[in-house]
Amino acid sequence: MLLNSSLRSSKVVRLAILAIVPVFLALAPAVCAGQSSSIITFDGPGAGTGLDQGTLAYGMNSKGTIVGTVISSNRKTYGFIRQTNGKITKLEYPGAQYTSVYGINDSGTIVGSYSGRHDQVFLRTADGKFTSFAPSGTQFLEGFPVIDNLGNVAGTILTTYDFFECYVRTSDGTITLFAGPLGFDCEVTGIVNGTVTGFYGAPTGYYAGYLRAPDGTFTVFLPNVQVAGVYLNKNGTAAGSFNLPGGSMDGFLRATDGVLDYFTVPGSVLLYVTGINDSGVVAGLWATDPDYNSGGHGFQRFADGTIDTFDAPGAGTGFFQGTFPSAINKAGAITGTVVDSNNVSHGFLLTQ
């Protein structure tokens, strides 16, 4: 079964090392807490205040518009849009029982999913027009669909043959299914200018990272460790997470020439990258134990290698509570979800 890499939904990624792999030395960067940034929290309209209810912030564009999903007190889900002035509006796909929103591009086009007779991916343009689709052979939608500034969408499905397969839908509506070279299972974590990023079950028996270019060619890397998430900026630098021997998870950077660099937060045993912006600033979350028994925390790694750790106001410190970043934009703003001590979720926004 495909390992779910989406901590944006506050699910722990548990990856096991299957055999002895080469030792990678993670660099120990300079770390500071709360480096010249401010954090606010917010709640979507109608957000529940009970256990496992509230506001989940998932996506943000370069303008700072944030989108995500609200879980109400009756556990119905619907989307929200938070404008840069703080105004938050509700978003529902017409006639849907449940709506979830995951991303927004710089044109204001939103990607999400909805449930009715069948699960569908949808797009909503800035002027409010909806389009929906599901790749052929879809049994279930897996993970989160993503969108780039060209209007291309990518995601993962469970097929009717019980295989996890990736897809890309170009802006003209053409849908292509794909899996990694000579591999099994496929997960999408990002898309930039038509290049899809993610990980798949490689012939080595591990989950390798990949870049799939618009012409369908693949670049595969780290085939002998367990990769969990790959993100790309427009300059071609990739960032993601992978498992080290002993069970810890650390971060990596891959330059356009293929050179890899590694990093971690001191004291972390689980570090998960959730984005990289065009300036090379990486955002993500980290924890001191693999099951989040003491909560999660945010980090931002700057281009000079220094790392700033942070916690959003009201973050709990218990099991699966804390700060869970999900997106970073070109200005270095970071959004995500903070889970308080009562296990209620709220959105947060960090600005520099």
Side-chain angles (χ1 to χ4, degrees), residues 61-62 277 279 328-334 351-352:
N61 63 15
S62 295
N277 70 7
S279 299
I328 182 170
N329 71 6
K330 68 179 183 180
I334 299 172
T351 52
Q352 303 299 334

Side-chain angles (χ1 to χ4, degrees), residues 197-249:
T197 65
F199 58 95
Y200 80 104
T204 57
Y206 299 93
Y207 283 92
Y210 73 81
L211 309 176
R212 182 190 182 274
D215 64 2
T217 58
F218 279 85
T219 300
V220 176
F221 50 91
L222 291 174
N224 295 310
V225 297
Q226 301 283 26
V227 175
V230 180
Y231 300 87
L232 190 70
N233 65 18
K234 72 176 185 180
N235 301 316
T237 302
S241 311
F242 71 111
N243 260 77
L244 286 170
S248 65
M249 183 183 292

Side-chain angles (χ1 to χ4, degrees), residues 18-239:
L18 302 180
I20 298 175
V21 295
V23 176
F24 292 93
L25 297 177
L27 299 179
V31 177
C32 54
Q35 176 176 302
S36 64
S37 57
S38 61
I39 306 176
I40 62 168
T41 62
F42 58 88
D43 294 295
T49 57
L51 178 69
D52 296 329
Q53 299 172 4
T55 302
L56 308 172
Y58 290 135
M60 176 173 55
N61 63 15
S62 295
K63 300 174 184 178
T65 305
I66 298 170
V67 296
T69 301
V70 166
I71 305 174
S72 68
S73 58
N74 63 3
R75 301 199 177 276
K76 182 176 181 181
T77 65
Y78 48 85
F80 74 84
I81 307 168
R82 183 187 186 274
Q83 305 295 339
T84 55
N85 62 5
K87 180 182 179 181
I88 304 176
T89 55
K90 183 177 179 180
L91 189 156
E92 291 183 284
Y93 188 90
Q97 297 175 0
Y98 299 94
T99 301
S100 297
V101 172
Y102 303 118
I104 181 170
N105 67 13
D106 289 350
S107 298
T109 299
I110 289 168
V111 67
S113 64
Y114 72 92
S115 298
R117 292 185 60 189
H118 304 285
D119 290 348
Q120 297 267 315
V121 179
F122 75 83
L123 298 173
R124 178 190 179 273
T125 58
D127 60 2
K129 296 178 182 177
F130 285 91
T131 302
S132 65
F133 67 91
S136 61
T138 298
Q139 182 180 173
F140 298 109
L141 300 175
E142 165 70 7
F144 301 88
V146 292
I147 188 169
D148 66 15
N149 285 332
L150 301 178
N152 303 305
V153 176
T156 308
I157 63 169
L158 176 65
T159 70
T160 52
Y161 297 100
D162 288 334
F163 290 107
F164 288 97
E165 199 161 9
C166 294
Y167 70 86
V168 58
R169 180 188 185 273
T170 53
S171 56
D172 64 2
T174 302
I175 299 175
T176 303
L177 292 168
F178 65 89
L182 302 175
F184 62 94
D185 284 348
C186 184
E187 177 93 0
V188 166
T189 52
I191 185 169
V192 174
N193 293 336
T195 296
V196 183
T197 65
F199 58 95
Y200 80 104
T204 57
Y206 299 93
Y207 283 92
Y210 73 81
L211 309 176
R212 182 190 182 274
D215 64 2
T217 58
F218 279 85
T219 300
V220 176
F221 50 91
L222 291 174
N224 295 310
V225 297
Q226 301 283 26
V227 175
V230 180
Y231 300 87
L232 190 70
N233 65 18
K234 72 176 185 180
N235 301 316
T237 302

Side-chain angles (χ1 to χ4, degrees), residues 306-338:
T306 58
I307 291 180
D308 171 28
T309 62
F310 62 89
D311 292 293
T317 58
F319 174 66
F320 234 99
Q321 298 172 357
T323 303
F324 299 89
S326 59
I328 182 170
N329 71 6
K330 68 179 183 180
I334 299 172
T335 193
T337 301
V338 54

